[in-house]
Amino acid sequence: MTNPTAAQPFDIERVRRDFPILQRTVHGKPLVYLDTAASAQRPLAVIEATDRFYREHNANVHRGVHTLSQEATDLYEGARRGLARFINADSEREIIFTRGTTEAINLVAQSYLRPRLEPGDEILITHMEHHSNIVPWQMLREQTGAVLKVAPINDRGELELDALEALLSDRVRLLGVVHISNALGTINPVAEICRMAKRHGIPVLVDGAQAMPHSRVDVQALGCDFFCLSAHKMYGPTGIGALWARESTLESMPPWQGGGEMISRVTFEQSTWNELPAKFEAGTPNIAGGVGLGAAVDYLDGLGLEVIAAYERSLLKYATERLREIDGLRIIGTAGNKAPVVSFTLGDIHPHDLGTIVDHYGVALRTGHHCTMPVMQFFGVPATARASFGLYNTLEEVDVLADALEKARAMF
Ligand code: PLP
């Protein structure tokens, strides 16, 4: 699993040259892109892989005997193999391509859990989930009469593990937990949580959208049952992601969407299903997206996630120190174990105003509820500003952010 080239020291200038968009200016200032948690920028390797696909290999996959179709299939399925290896899946049959994390969670809700639920059964999630790990379960609750329970967090934005364990009753049919919170940056002890749930025989779905770009994910070491990810959070294209689950689990699930690709034989009386992973991939997939995802995996692997994580820890430390110096700035989410995400408010300035002002200095911040309204409710704020860092950000960019925030503060 470990890439031998990954031991190289992190050369930030070389890395930045991989991302053409970082050359551009915004309002006449160099772009300082601090919105990677919403969507990361793409390296040339990803841009060129998708470009090459359309220029040289474009065709539909799986069904064609002609050369282009076979090339497209090889590239698409190669990406699946690459992702399987990257997250240490047992085989590529365990990788279901989806539109992203959201679709992966909906797939589990409708295909795995819905047939298993009786009225009164419980689905357990946590207070720091993204809406995509809340709303599908609420919809399922309406469909089945199940009950949605929520494990609490503390003032630092950490899960209260004892309280979570106390909620693991014999009525719980699934625990859904975010690996890294997009709003708070909290890194949850997912392996420990999975062990806890296993002791109670409860399957665990991990929302890994934010984990993929920041940490080495090994689904077997985590001990989860479902892992969901989005390519665009990990320097790949939008509109593609994946669900990982063990083959035996996927075999036990009925198909979710019906159509082409997912069938073995169709008559008007009856249809039978294709093998994994095709059973869950109805219709023409996002082929170029898959190819781009494969390139993103290779790119991350080439740099080495351990090296990236170490570099990002230095960014987080510096950003936290610098922002704490700003009068009236309140950091929301101060967990002991954090990814490079800093959510904050600044005095009475509305985060949207803050975002608009710093944009004039070239700084791209996200402002709003970050699709985590319950987190905002917990901290008693309508919204936050969020600086989220990626492997291409620099300490100097942290200074640009801090200076822009000081200027915003002076305006009010
Ligand atoms: N979960 C988390 C923690 C996220 O940050 C996001 C996106 O912001 C999602 C889920 C949803 O991902 P997608 O919109 O790619 O399906």
Side-chain angles (χ1 to χ4, degrees):
M1 282 293 292
T2 315
N3 188 317
T5 59
Q8 308 292 326
F10 194 73
D11 180 350
I12 182 64
E13 285 314 319
R14 187 177 65 77
V15 167
R16 284 180 68 80
R17 283 196 294 277
D18 291 339
F19 291 83
I21 205 167
L22 299 180
Q23 306 299 319
R24 69 159 287 179
T25 56
V26 171
H27 299 300
K29 306 281 190 320
L31 167 67
V32 175
Y33 188 75
L34 300 180
D35 198 17
T36 294
S39 209
Q41 295 300 345
R42 282 56 160 156
L44 271 172
V46 170
I47 297 168
E48 286 171 355
T50 45
D51 181 77
R52 201 176 318 118
F53 173 77
Y54 282 126
R55 286 176 191 277
E56 298 175 22
H57 309 289
N58 181 48
N60 210 332
V61 287
H62 300 145
R63 290 181 289 260
V65 292
H66 63 79
T67 300
L68 286 191
S69 176
Q70 288 182 9
E71 287 174 6
T73 303
D74 286 348
L75 286 166
Y76 187 66
E77 292 304 324
R80 193 191 307 273
R81 277 195 300 281
L83 181 61
R85 180 190 45 74
F86 191 56
I87 63 171
N88 197 24
D90 252 348
S91 92
E92 64 266 25
R93 290 162 58 88
E94 299 181 341
I95 302 289
I96 311 298
F97 280 136
T98 62
R99 281 193 299 123
T101 303
T102 304
E103 192 174 64
I105 296 172
N106 278 276
L107 195 170
V108 175
Q110 291 301 320
S111 172
Y112 175 79
L113 204 52
R114 188 172 179 175
R116 287 169 167 80
L117 283 183
E118 302 284 338
D121 282 349
E122 293 174 6
I123 305 160
L124 179 60
I125 56 172
T126 85
H127 204 115
M128 69 168 86
E129 299 308 314
H130 187 279
H131 295 165
S132 63
N133 204 19
I134 301 174
V135 182
W137 310 119
Q138 288 175 327
M139 292 164 71
L140 196 54
R141 176 177 64 186
E142 302 314 312
Q143 290 158 346
T144 63
V147 177
L148 187 61
K149 292 269 174 98
V150 181
I153 55 175
N154 63 28
D155 290 346
R156 293 185 298 280
E158 294 164 328
L159 278 177
E160 291 282 309
L161 291 184
D162 289 345
L164 188 152
E165 180 146 38
L167 286 164
L168 295 172
S169 78
D170 59 5
R171 291 312 304 261
V172 177
R173 297 288 169 261
L174 184 115
L175 165 63
V177 61
V178 69
H179 195 156
I180 296 182
S181 159
N182 63 308
L184 301 166
T186 311
I187 304 176
N188 285 318
V190 173
E192 187 184 340
I193 292 169
C194 288
R195 278 195 297 277
M196 227 183 238
K198 282 284 111 70
R199 285 200 291 276
H200 298 265
I202 296 168
V204 181
L205 174 144
V206 175
D207 169 353
Q210 297 293 338
M212 292 301 291
H214 301 301
S215 56
R216 166 73 60 191
V217 167
D218 177 333
V219 287
Q220 303 202 47
L222 284 182
C224 59
D225 297 274
F226 302 98
F227 191 90
C228 308
L229 61 93
S230 298
H232 69 107
K233 309 283 189 193
M234 47 187 284
Y235 308 97
T238 47
I240 180 110
L243 167 70
W244 168 85
R246 275 177 215 90
E247 232 177 293
S248 54
T249 309
L250 292 168
E251 293 287 9
S252 78
M253 294 160 53
W256 178 35
Q257 295 173 333
E261 287 282 314
M262 50 74 70
I263 49 80
S264 159
R265 189 177 147 74
V266 176
T267 65
F268 283 118
E269 288 70 39
Q270 198 194 10
S271 298
T272 53
W273 315 137
N274 206 339
E275 301 200 327
L276 292 174
K279 184 173 93 172
F280 293 105
E281 296 183 4
T284 299
N286 180 355
I287 306 164
V291 173
L293 170 54
V297 163
D298 290 344
Y299 183 76
L300 286 173
D301 223 9
L303 290 176
L305 272 157
E306 294 75 10
V307 180
I308 294 168
Y311 177 71
E312 290 180 343
R313 270 195 296 277
S314 66
L315 284 175
L316 174 67
K317 182 168 180 294
Y318 186 62
T320 306
E321 285 164 11
R322 278 297 264 121
L323 296 195
R324 278 215 175 108
E325 287 166 7
I326 298 173
D327 218 18
L329 190 141
R330 173 188 174 204
I331 294 181
I332 308 274
T334 50
N337 195 12
K338 269 187 76 170
V341 171
V342 187
S343 261
F344 58 91
T345 56
L346 182 51
D348 292 334
I349 311 174
H350 194 282
H352 290 318
D353 293 336
L354 210 51
T356 308
I357 295 167
V358 301
D359 182 59
H360 281 88
Y361 296 96
V363 179
L365 281 187
R366 177 120 325 221
T367 59
H369 53 66
H370 317 293
C371 294
T372 55
M373 284 191 190
V375 171
M376 301 297 118
Q377 288 148 15
F378 178 84
F379 285 97
V381 292
T384 70
R386 180 187 71 186
S388 61
F389 298 86
L391 52 83
Y392 35 59
N393 291 121
T394 64
L395 300 179
E396 292 73 27
E397 289 182 322
V398 173
D399 290 333
V400 175
L401 166 67
D403 290 348
L405 291 173
E406 287 287 13
K407 289 190 179 103
R409 199 176 61 87
M411 289 169 71
F412 284 84

